[in-house]
Amino acid sequence: MQDLLLWQQRLRHVLAPPAAFAALVMRLREGLYSRKYLPSWAPPSPVVGVGGIDPQARGKVMVSAWLMGWAKARGLSHTLLTSPGEASPQDLPLSVMAATHASECGAEAALLARYRPDAVILADDNPVRAGKSAWKAVSPDLIILHGFFSTLSVRRKADIVLLSAHDLDRGWNRPFPAGSWREGAGALKRATGFVLHIWPDEVPLRAKLAERRLASLEKPVFTVHPRIWRLRTADGRTATDLGGEPYLLVAAQSNQDVAAKAAQAFLGLPPRLRVIFPDSHRFTSHDQAQIAADSTRMRAPHILATPEAALRLGDVPGKTLWTYDPDVVLGPCLLSGQAFTPWWEGVWAGMAPQS
Protein backbone atom coordinates (compact mmCIF):
# COMPACT_ATOMS: atom_id res chain seq x y z
CA MET A 1 0.00 0.00 0.00
CA GLN A 2 2.72 2.46 1.02
CA ASP A 3 4.81 1.52 -2.03
CA LEU A 4 1.81 2.07 -4.30
CA LEU A 5 1.19 5.54 -2.84
CA LEU A 6 4.86 6.38 -3.31
CA TRP A 7 4.84 5.39 -6.97
CA GLN A 8 1.56 7.19 -7.59
CA GLN A 9 3.14 10.33 -6.15
CA ARG A 10 6.30 9.97 -8.23
CA LEU A 11 4.37 9.30 -11.44
CA ARG A 12 1.52 11.74 -10.78
CA HIS A 13 2.11 13.72 -13.98
CA VAL A 14 2.11 10.55 -16.09
CA LEU A 15 -0.92 9.09 -14.35
CA ALA A 16 -2.97 12.29 -14.33
CA PRO A 17 -4.38 11.94 -17.90
CA PRO A 18 -5.73 8.37 -17.45
CA ALA A 19 -7.08 9.36 -14.05
CA ALA A 20 -8.89 12.33 -15.60
CA PHE A 21 -10.32 10.03 -18.28
CA ALA A 22 -11.51 7.58 -15.61
CA ALA A 23 -13.21 10.43 -13.74
CA LEU A 24 -14.88 11.57 -16.97
CA VAL A 25 -16.20 8.07 -17.65
CA MET A 26 -17.64 7.84 -14.14
CA ARG A 27 -19.21 11.30 -14.48
CA LEU A 28 -20.85 10.31 -17.78
CA ARG A 29 -22.06 7.12 -16.16
CA GLU A 30 -23.62 9.11 -13.31
CA GLY A 31 -25.41 11.25 -15.90
CA LEU A 32 -26.82 8.17 -17.58
CA TYR A 33 -28.23 6.98 -14.27
CA SER A 34 -29.68 10.38 -13.39
CA ARG A 35 -31.42 10.55 -16.80
CA LYS A 36 -32.63 6.95 -16.36
CA TYR A 37 -30.82 5.68 -19.44
CA LEU A 38 -29.31 3.10 -17.09
CA PRO A 39 -31.76 1.19 -14.86
CA SER A 40 -31.77 1.60 -11.10
CA TRP A 41 -33.95 0.13 -8.38
CA ALA A 42 -35.95 2.35 -6.03
CA PRO A 43 -36.71 0.22 -2.95
CA PRO A 44 -40.07 0.66 -1.18
CA SER A 45 -38.17 1.55 2.04
CA PRO A 46 -35.65 4.39 2.54
CA VAL A 47 -32.04 3.52 1.75
CA VAL A 48 -29.00 5.16 3.36
CA GLY A 49 -25.58 4.57 1.85
CA VAL A 50 -22.48 4.26 4.03
CA GLY A 51 -19.38 4.21 1.89
CA GLY A 52 -16.40 6.05 0.52
CA ILE A 53 -15.19 7.42 -2.77
CA ASP A 54 -12.14 5.30 -1.93
CA PRO A 55 -13.37 1.67 -1.79
CA GLN A 56 -10.97 1.03 1.12
CA ALA A 57 -12.40 3.91 3.18
CA ARG A 58 -12.12 3.23 6.90
CA GLY A 59 -14.87 3.89 9.44
CA LYS A 60 -17.68 2.33 7.40
CA VAL A 61 -18.11 -0.58 9.80
CA MET A 62 -18.42 1.74 12.80
CA VAL A 63 -20.96 4.04 11.13
CA SER A 64 -23.05 1.14 9.81
CA ALA A 65 -22.98 -0.59 13.21
CA TRP A 66 -24.08 2.68 14.84
CA LEU A 67 -26.98 3.02 12.39
CA MET A 68 -28.10 -0.54 13.08
CA GLY A 69 -27.99 0.11 16.82
CA TRP A 70 -29.93 3.34 16.34
CA ALA A 71 -32.59 1.56 14.28
CA LYS A 72 -32.94 -1.25 16.81
CA ALA A 73 -33.34 1.23 19.67
CA ARG A 74 -36.22 2.87 17.81
CA GLY A 75 -37.94 -0.37 16.89
CA LEU A 76 -37.17 -0.08 13.18
CA SER A 77 -36.60 -3.27 11.24
CA HIS A 78 -33.49 -2.93 9.11
CA THR A 79 -31.36 -4.79 6.61
CA LEU A 80 -27.74 -4.19 5.67
CA LEU A 81 -26.48 -4.99 2.18
CA THR A 82 -22.74 -5.30 1.64
CA SER A 83 -20.24 -6.79 -0.77
CA PRO A 84 -18.39 -9.99 0.16
CA GLY A 85 -15.22 -8.26 -1.02
CA GLU A 86 -12.38 -10.71 -1.45
CA ALA A 87 -14.48 -13.64 -0.13
CA SER A 88 -16.08 -16.25 -2.36
CA PRO A 89 -19.52 -17.24 -1.05
CA GLN A 90 -21.15 -20.21 -2.72
CA ASP A 91 -24.63 -18.70 -2.63
CA LEU A 92 -25.65 -15.12 -3.43
CA PRO A 93 -27.06 -13.30 -1.69
CA LEU A 94 -25.51 -14.82 1.42
CA SER A 95 -27.26 -14.36 4.75
CA VAL A 96 -24.45 -13.47 7.15
CA MET A 97 -24.70 -14.77 10.71
CA ALA A 98 -22.47 -14.12 13.71
CA ALA A 99 -20.77 -17.49 13.14
CA THR A 100 -20.21 -16.98 9.39
CA HIS A 101 -16.50 -17.13 8.59
CA ALA A 102 -14.89 -14.06 7.08
CA SER A 103 -13.49 -16.15 4.22
CA GLU A 104 -17.07 -16.84 3.12
CA CYS A 105 -18.71 -13.42 3.56
CA GLY A 106 -15.87 -10.88 3.76
CA ALA A 107 -14.26 -9.29 6.82
CA GLU A 108 -16.56 -6.27 7.05
CA ALA A 109 -19.73 -8.35 6.79
CA ALA A 110 -18.38 -10.78 9.40
CA LEU A 111 -17.55 -7.93 11.79
CA LEU A 112 -20.97 -6.33 11.39
CA ALA A 113 -22.69 -9.66 12.04
CA ARG A 114 -20.69 -10.09 15.24
CA TYR A 115 -21.44 -6.56 16.41
CA ARG A 116 -25.15 -6.86 15.55
CA PRO A 117 -25.96 -10.61 15.67
CA ASP A 118 -29.71 -10.00 15.51
CA ALA A 119 -29.55 -7.92 12.30
CA VAL A 120 -30.39 -9.09 8.78
CA ILE A 121 -27.15 -8.79 6.79
CA LEU A 122 -26.82 -9.93 3.19
CA ALA A 123 -23.53 -10.16 1.30
CA ASP A 124 -23.72 -9.84 -2.46
CA ASP A 125 -21.82 -7.97 -5.18
CA ASN A 126 -25.22 -7.22 -6.71
CA PRO A 127 -27.07 -4.97 -4.21
CA VAL A 128 -30.23 -4.91 -6.34
CA ARG A 129 -30.56 -8.69 -6.13
CA ALA A 130 -29.80 -8.67 -2.40
CA GLY A 131 -32.17 -5.77 -1.74
CA LYS A 132 -35.08 -7.37 -3.56
CA SER A 133 -34.45 -10.61 -1.68
CA ALA A 134 -34.43 -8.73 1.63
CA TRP A 135 -37.61 -6.86 0.79
CA LYS A 136 -39.40 -10.07 -0.16
CA ALA A 137 -38.28 -11.79 3.05
CA VAL A 138 -38.57 -9.13 5.78
CA SER A 139 -39.78 -5.79 4.26
CA PRO A 140 -37.37 -3.70 6.39
CA ASP A 141 -38.15 -0.16 7.49
CA LEU A 142 -34.58 0.88 6.65
CA ILE A 143 -32.01 -0.48 4.20
CA ILE A 144 -28.32 0.29 4.82
CA LEU A 145 -26.20 0.08 1.70
CA HIS A 146 -22.72 -0.59 3.05
CA GLY A 147 -19.70 0.15 0.85
CA PHE A 148 -21.48 0.84 -2.45
CA PHE A 149 -20.95 4.61 -2.86
CA SER A 150 -20.03 4.35 -6.54
CA THR A 151 -22.68 1.71 -7.28
CA LEU A 152 -25.67 3.68 -8.56
CA SER A 153 -28.00 0.78 -9.39
CA VAL A 154 -29.81 1.28 -6.04
CA ARG A 155 -31.37 4.66 -5.35
CA ARG A 156 -30.96 6.03 -1.86
CA LYS A 157 -32.42 8.83 0.17
CA ALA A 158 -29.12 9.67 1.89
CA ASP A 159 -25.40 8.97 1.50
CA ILE A 160 -22.95 9.14 4.41
CA VAL A 161 -19.48 9.36 2.88
CA LEU A 162 -16.35 8.32 4.77
CA LEU A 163 -13.09 10.16 4.15
CA SER A 164 -9.60 9.84 5.60
CA ALA A 165 -6.96 12.47 6.34
CA HIS A 166 -5.18 11.30 3.17
CA ASP A 167 -8.34 11.87 1.11
CA LEU A 168 -8.36 15.51 2.16
CA ASP A 169 -4.65 15.97 1.55
CA ARG A 170 -2.51 14.23 -1.07
CA GLY A 171 -5.27 11.84 -2.06
CA TRP A 172 -7.75 14.59 -2.89
CA ASN A 173 -9.44 14.20 -6.29
CA ARG A 174 -7.10 11.47 -7.49
CA PRO A 175 -9.03 8.67 -9.17
CA PHE A 176 -7.29 5.42 -10.01
CA PRO A 177 -4.61 4.97 -11.35
CA ALA A 178 -3.28 8.28 -9.97
CA GLY A 179 -4.85 7.57 -6.59
CA SER A 180 -7.35 5.31 -4.88
CA TRP A 181 -10.62 7.14 -5.61
CA ARG A 182 -13.14 5.53 -7.94
CA GLU A 183 -14.52 8.90 -9.08
CA GLY A 184 -13.53 12.54 -9.23
CA ALA A 185 -14.34 15.07 -6.52
CA GLY A 186 -17.54 16.06 -8.34
CA ALA A 187 -19.12 12.82 -7.13
CA LEU A 188 -18.99 14.12 -3.55
CA LYS A 189 -21.97 16.34 -4.28
CA ARG A 190 -24.09 13.20 -3.86
CA ALA A 191 -23.18 13.09 -0.17
CA THR A 192 -25.73 14.00 2.48
CA GLY A 193 -22.94 14.27 5.05
CA PHE A 194 -19.28 13.39 5.51
CA VAL A 195 -17.51 11.47 8.28
CA LEU A 196 -13.73 11.68 8.73
CA HIS A 197 -12.04 8.61 10.16
CA ILE A 198 -9.46 10.35 12.34
CA TRP A 199 -8.36 10.41 15.97
CA PRO A 200 -9.51 13.46 18.00
CA ASP A 201 -5.99 14.90 18.26
CA GLU A 202 -6.02 15.35 14.47
CA VAL A 203 -9.16 17.48 14.44
CA PRO A 204 -7.35 20.82 14.87
CA LEU A 205 -5.02 19.87 12.02
CA ARG A 206 -7.78 18.72 9.66
CA ALA A 207 -10.62 21.16 10.38
CA LYS A 208 -9.30 23.95 8.14
CA LEU A 209 -8.48 21.50 5.36
CA ALA A 210 -11.94 19.95 5.63
CA GLU A 211 -13.48 23.40 5.41
CA ARG A 212 -11.41 24.29 2.35
CA ARG A 213 -12.22 21.03 0.56
CA LEU A 214 -15.82 20.48 1.60
CA ALA A 215 -17.47 23.70 2.82
CA SER A 216 -18.65 24.64 -0.67
CA LEU A 217 -20.77 21.47 -0.74
CA GLU A 218 -22.72 22.79 2.28
CA LYS A 219 -22.85 19.38 3.97
CA PRO A 220 -21.88 18.61 7.58
CA VAL A 221 -18.50 17.02 8.30
CA PHE A 222 -18.34 14.75 11.38
CA THR A 223 -15.61 12.48 12.73
CA VAL A 224 -15.56 8.88 13.92
CA HIS A 225 -13.08 6.82 15.92
CA PRO A 226 -13.18 3.67 18.09
CA ARG A 227 -12.99 3.74 21.88
CA ILE A 228 -11.90 0.38 23.25
CA TRP A 229 -13.92 -0.89 26.20
CA ARG A 230 -12.52 -4.40 26.60
CA LEU A 231 -10.09 -6.94 25.15
CA ARG A 232 -11.04 -10.47 24.17
CA THR A 233 -9.65 -13.64 22.62
CA ALA A 234 -11.17 -15.95 20.03
CA ASP A 235 -12.07 -18.49 22.73
CA GLY A 236 -14.14 -15.95 24.68
CA ARG A 237 -11.74 -14.76 27.38
CA THR A 238 -11.96 -11.05 28.19
CA ALA A 239 -9.69 -8.54 29.93
CA THR A 240 -9.62 -4.87 30.77
CA ASP A 241 -5.83 -4.51 30.43
CA LEU A 242 -2.61 -6.41 29.69
CA GLY A 243 -1.08 -5.86 33.11
CA GLY A 244 1.09 -3.04 31.81
CA GLU A 245 3.15 -5.46 29.70
CA PRO A 246 4.40 -4.66 26.15
CA TYR A 247 2.40 -5.70 23.12
CA LEU A 248 2.56 -5.87 19.33
CA LEU A 249 -0.19 -4.28 17.28
CA VAL A 250 -1.35 -5.96 14.08
CA ALA A 251 -3.29 -3.64 11.78
CA ALA A 252 -3.96 -2.76 8.16
CA GLN A 253 -1.93 0.02 6.58
CA SER A 254 -4.87 2.40 6.27
CA ASN A 255 -6.00 1.81 9.86
CA GLN A 256 -2.75 1.68 11.80
CA ASP A 257 -2.61 5.22 13.20
CA VAL A 258 -6.14 5.29 14.60
CA ALA A 259 -5.77 1.74 15.93
CA ALA A 260 -2.45 2.55 17.66
CA LYS A 261 -3.92 5.64 19.31
CA ALA A 262 -7.02 3.74 20.44
CA ALA A 263 -4.83 1.01 21.95
CA GLN A 264 -2.59 3.51 23.70
CA ALA A 265 -5.58 5.41 25.11
CA PHE A 266 -6.99 2.16 26.54
CA LEU A 267 -3.82 0.43 27.71
CA GLY A 268 -1.80 3.48 28.73
CA LEU A 269 1.23 2.66 26.58
CA PRO A 270 1.95 2.55 22.83
CA PRO A 271 2.62 -0.72 21.00
CA ARG A 272 6.22 -1.81 21.09
CA LEU A 273 5.96 -2.68 17.40
CA ARG A 274 3.34 -2.18 14.71
CA VAL A 275 2.99 -5.15 12.37
CA ILE A 276 1.41 -3.61 9.29
CA PHE A 277 -0.17 -5.42 6.36
CA PRO A 278 -1.87 -4.21 3.18
CA ASP A 279 -5.64 -3.80 3.25
CA SER A 280 -7.47 -7.05 2.37
CA HIS A 281 -4.28 -9.03 2.99
CA ARG A 282 -4.70 -12.81 3.04
CA PHE A 283 -2.64 -14.05 5.98
CA THR A 284 -0.58 -17.19 5.53
CA SER A 285 1.02 -19.61 8.00
CA HIS A 286 4.30 -17.82 7.25
CA ASP A 287 2.74 -14.51 8.36
CA GLN A 288 1.51 -16.14 11.56
CA ALA A 289 4.94 -17.60 12.31
CA GLN A 290 6.63 -14.27 11.57
CA ILE A 291 4.33 -12.39 13.96
CA ALA A 292 5.07 -14.95 16.67
CA ALA A 293 8.80 -14.51 16.04
CA ASP A 294 8.46 -10.72 16.17
CA SER A 295 6.69 -11.00 19.50
CA THR A 296 9.52 -13.08 20.93
CA ARG A 297 12.24 -10.89 19.41
CA MET A 298 10.70 -7.68 20.77
CA ARG A 299 10.06 -9.26 24.19
CA ALA A 300 6.41 -8.33 23.89
CA PRO A 301 4.35 -11.13 25.44
CA HIS A 302 1.03 -9.92 24.00
CA ILE A 303 -0.27 -9.60 20.44
CA LEU A 304 -3.16 -7.22 19.88
CA ALA A 305 -4.90 -7.11 16.50
CA THR A 306 -7.63 -4.83 15.24
CA PRO A 307 -10.97 -6.66 14.95
CA GLU A 308 -10.62 -6.97 11.17
CA ALA A 309 -6.98 -8.10 11.34
CA ALA A 310 -7.88 -10.66 14.01
CA LEU A 311 -10.55 -12.15 11.75
CA ARG A 312 -8.11 -12.37 8.86
CA LEU A 313 -5.18 -13.60 10.93
CA GLY A 314 -7.04 -16.34 12.78
CA ASP A 315 -4.26 -17.51 15.08
CA VAL A 316 -0.63 -17.03 16.07
CA PRO A 317 1.16 -20.29 16.97
CA GLY A 318 2.27 -20.44 20.59
CA LYS A 319 0.86 -16.99 21.38
CA THR A 320 -2.41 -15.54 22.63
CA LEU A 321 -4.03 -13.26 20.09
CA TRP A 322 -6.08 -10.44 21.58
CA THR A 323 -8.48 -8.13 19.82
CA TYR A 324 -10.80 -5.47 21.17
CA ASP A 325 -14.45 -4.48 21.30
CA PRO A 326 -14.91 -0.84 20.30
CA ASP A 327 -17.52 1.76 21.11
CA VAL A 328 -18.33 4.05 18.18
CA VAL A 329 -17.51 7.69 18.96
CA LEU A 330 -19.01 10.18 16.52
CA GLY A 331 -17.66 13.69 16.95
CA PRO A 332 -19.52 16.96 16.32
CA CYS A 333 -19.64 18.68 12.95
CA LEU A 334 -16.33 20.41 12.25
CA LEU A 335 -18.09 23.28 10.46
CA SER A 336 -20.97 24.02 12.84
CA GLY A 337 -20.51 22.01 16.05
CA GLN A 338 -23.80 20.13 15.49
CA ALA A 339 -23.92 16.63 17.01
CA PHE A 340 -24.29 13.60 14.74
CA THR A 341 -27.35 12.02 16.36
CA PRO A 342 -29.76 14.98 15.98
CA TRP A 343 -28.45 15.59 12.47
CA TRP A 344 -29.12 11.98 11.50
CA GLU A 345 -32.57 11.98 13.10
CA GLY A 346 -33.40 15.09 11.06
CA VAL A 347 -32.25 13.30 7.92
CA TRP A 348 -34.33 10.26 8.84
CA ALA A 349 -37.41 12.40 9.49
CA GLY A 350 -37.07 13.85 6.02
CA MET A 351 -36.80 10.53 4.22
CA ALA A 352 -38.91 8.10 6.27
CA PRO A 353 -42.42 7.28 5.00
CA GLN A 354 -45.08 9.30 6.82
CA SER A 355 -47.70 7.19 8.59
Side-chain angles (χ1 to χ4, degrees):
M1 176 70 174
Q2 198 64 33
D3 291 341
L4 176 60
L5 292 176
L6 178 62
W7 280 107
Q8 286 174 330
Q9 180 66 20
R10 288 177 175 175
L11 300 175
R12 60 188 182 277
H13 298 301
V14 175
L15 298 175
F21 178 73
L24 174 62
V25 170
M26 294 299 282
R27 189 164 65 249
L28 293 173
R29 168 181 161 273
E30 181 182 356
L32 293 175
Y33 272 108
S34 65
R35 293 173 175 81
K36 299 184 179 180
Y37 291 120
L38 291 176
S40 59
W41 178 54
S45 294
V47 177
V48 56
V50 178
I53 198 165
D54 178 348
Q56 297 292 344
R58 290 291 170 172
K60 300 191 302 292
V61 169
M62 286 187 286
V63 174
S64 288
W66 186 95
L67 286 173
M68 287 192 285
W70 173 89
K72 180 181 179 181
R74 282 152 184 78
L76 298 171
S77 62
H78 52 284
T79 296
L80 183 136
L81 312 178
T82 186
S83 168
E86 74 284 358
S88 302
Q90 295 183 354
D91 298 312
L92 292 172
L94 174 68
S95 180
V96 184
M97 313 301 289
T100 305
H101 199 275
S103 62
E104 185 178 4
C105 64
E108 292 195 354
L111 278 178
L112 287 164
R114 285 158 175 76
Y115 292 153
R116 304 295 181 195
D118 53 345
V120 177
I121 298 174
L122 297 181
D124 196 336
D125 285 320
N126 185 338
V128 174
R129 175 173 57 196
K132 289 181 177 179
S133 175
W135 179 255
K136 182 177 179 181
V138 296
S139 303
D141 299 316
L142 171 66
I143 298 174
I144 301 170
L145 196 63
H146 177 90
F148 286 106
F149 176 70
S150 295
T151 301
L152 303 181
S153 56
V154 178
R155 298 182 213 169
R156 44 270 214 182
K157 298 288 187 178
D159 256 310
I160 299 174
V161 177
L162 278 296
L163 296 171
S164 68
H166 177 72
D167 288 325
L168 294 178
D169 194 1
R170 292 189 175 186
W172 177 259
N173 199 22
R174 288 195 176 176
F176 188 82
S180 56
W181 286 20
R182 286 205 62 194
E183 304 179 67
L188 296 177
K189 69 181 184 297
R190 300 199 303 266
T192 309
F194 298 98
V195 178
L196 302 182
H197 179 234
I198 57 175
W199 193 253
D201 65 0
E202 290 192 61
V203 171
L205 302 174
R206 305 299 175 184
K208 290 185 178 179
L209 189 57
E211 182 174 7
R212 178 157 61 90
R213 298 292 198 197
L214 303 171
S216 62
L217 298 174
E218 300 182 337
K219 307 293 174 61
V221 184
F222 303 96
T223 65
V224 69
H225 71 273
R227 179 171 55 211
I228 300 172
W229 63 275
R230 73 172 179 184
L231 306 178
R232 59 179 171 81
T233 61
D235 61 6
R237 286 182 291 153
T238 62
T240 56
D241 59 53
L242 295 175
E245 296 180 328
Y247 64 97
L248 266 60
L249 176 69
V250 183
Q253 174 69 38
S254 63
N255 196 35
Q256 60 163 318
D257 290 334
V258 170
K261 290 175 180 178
Q264 181 171 350
F266 181 71
L267 295 171
L269 72 162
R272 179 161 287 182
L273 176 70
R274 297 186 192 183
V275 182
I276 307 305
F277 289 89
D279 291 35
S280 303
H281 180 72
R282 290 180 178 269
F283 285 93
T284 64
S285 57
H286 175 76
D287 294 328
Q288 295 171 334
Q290 184 61 55
I291 292 171
D294 288 339
S295 175
T296 301
R297 175 174 58 86
M298 298 299 295
R299 297 182 180 178
H302 303 287
I303 299 172
L304 176 64
T306 64
E308 180 182 347
L311 279 179
R312 296 180 184 279
L313 182 57
D315 191 21
V316 178
K319 303 288 182 179
T320 298
L321 177 65
W322 293 94
T323 188
Y324 54 79
D325 291 321
D327 281 330
V328 179
V329 182
L330 285 155
C333 177
L334 299 184
L335 308 181
S336 68
Q338 180 184 18
F340 184 86
T341 300
W343 169 79
W344 164 250
E345 290 183 339
V347 172
W348 171 254
M351 69 182 191
Q354 301 299 312
S355 57

